Amino acid sequence: GSATSLSSTAINTRLQELVRLFKERTEKVKEKLIDPDVTSDDESPVASPAAAPVPAPGGELEGDKPSGDDHYCEMLCCTFKCRPWLDHLKSYQFPSSIDPLTNLMYVLWLFFVVMAWNWNCWLIPVRWAFPYQTPANIHYWLLVDYLCDLIYLLDILIFQTRLQFVQGGDIITDKKAMKENYLRSQRFKMDVLCLLPLDLFYFKVGVNPLLRFPRCLKYMAFFEFNNRLEAILTKAYIYRVIRTTAYLLYSLHVNSCLYYWASAYEGLGSTTWVYDGEGNSYIRCYYWAVKTLITIGGLPDPKTLFEIVFQLLNYFTGVFAFSVMIGQMRDVVGAATAGQTYYRSCMDSTIKYMNFYKIPRTVQNRVKTWYEYTWHSQGMLDESELLVQLPDKMRLDIAIDVNYNIVSKVALFQGCDRQMIFDMLKRLRSVVYLPNDYVCKKGEIGREMYIIQAGQVQVLGGPDGKSVLVTLKAGSVFGEISLLAAGGGNRRTANVVAHGFANLFILEKKDLNEILVHYPESQKLLRKKAKKMLKSNNKPKDEKGGPGDPLIIPPKADTPKLFKAALAATGRMGGKGPLERLRWRLKELRAVQ
């Protein structure tokens, strides 16, 4: 009797183990069929025991040593630590072609070229007019001059001949083609002209700074640097304001140099109009230039014909230059505040409309709050207006970067066609809800799905309909079953209220239906999932789901057919052994379930 009992227990245990294995295998096969991206646990590589790290004699693993210990070099009797960046510098290879639109290294190089160009533009007039260049310091001036010439030369030989260009829609990276394109360009002619070796006349006429005036002709590098820098700055209008101010300061700088030259030509202190030679000559002349160009007045009257003509030209130039600078500054500031101006215009028009129709003050305050929060949180009133001008592919790339991580976590869409998800991302619409705004109400027809981008929403329920059932945070999704449910299953089962300011993405049902027309397989899969999600809950939990909540409750796997056949055969034989008792137990469990 005891032997029979032991054998029955062993058989029962073995059969239960077989049932468990059959269930696990069935679950894996079903997951594989539903979501092809799911990988099997058996495919995960197992670490080999032989590959385990061997402890070092000191007790530490070799991988635990700091990476800096590898960089040493021995010299005579001492050991010096070699910095890793030196190795990177030694192994660095200059690129064979440079993309002038996206390469930050090229923008940095243009900065040095522009600095050399500014040295020539600002210092050549000063050295020509003022007595700041003397035989005692001439070697310092010449050292910086020829350093700037070296930068010009490197720009011609190394950088400009490696710039990529577009020809017939193709990006040309061939060395010979890039070099020929530069040699045929207007840029090359100006670069050669600005490096004319007029310095050779130094041996005949002395070191005259005016002989370096052609160095100022490299203005094309300056404008290119402006375009590249504005493209990478987040607030480019600040740089534009600084640049416009620099234009004004440079015009005053040149005028001060001309005034000192005119004073020296007439004779310092010879009349009341000229510079009298006292104090700092550059500061005094710059002050005079400011009063003249801005036409402040209060200047001494010119005495000679030369002084009168010079002053008239100064006045005409000042009026023209100052008006141009003011106009350009107005354009820069206007472009920087264009968005703010549009926002104020829309808000003023809305307030005027509400006042005309005598809208209650509480509603008007909520509308004003919506305008202010939407503008400060997004920097615009409608995000879709910003992307209208972009090609469809670029809009998709932006939508993937912004929304894909959130949408991919929605259980309803897992396993669907990837391209269908991409098409769906472009249909998402951003909406801002104010505190205590109802996102959806209980009993209303659900025609959209919601994804929380920022903020929180609360699901309300209970006898009074005001108890907080759950609070959903950024990244949560609710209302997805309503997109596919039918037969009354698309009614909301709870109130959802914004807790504070909430920014939500909305996908409408009609948009999803338009997309699913092109993806029949995904449509079938979504309908199956929606039915299972409705069956698994008497109350649909689509208003409560979040990225961390299990939205799909997998049904219990059926008993394998082979095991059913074994049980049926046992029943026909009228056996009352372990198999029959196990069969009765399964029936009882099924009834309870």
Side-chain angles (χ1 to χ4, degrees), residues 341-355:
T341 304
Y342 172 73
Y343 155 69
R344 293 303 313 175
S345 175
C346 292
M347 191 170 182
D348 293 343
S349 301
T350 305
I351 293 174
K352 184 178 179 181
Y353 173 85
M354 292 188 296
N355 290 333

Side-chain angles (χ1 to χ4, degrees), residues 325-342:
M325 297 299 174
I326 293 298
Q328 189 170 4
M329 188 69 75
R330 182 203 60 192
D331 295 339
V332 170
V333 176
T337 59
Q340 184 77 16
T341 304
Y342 172 73

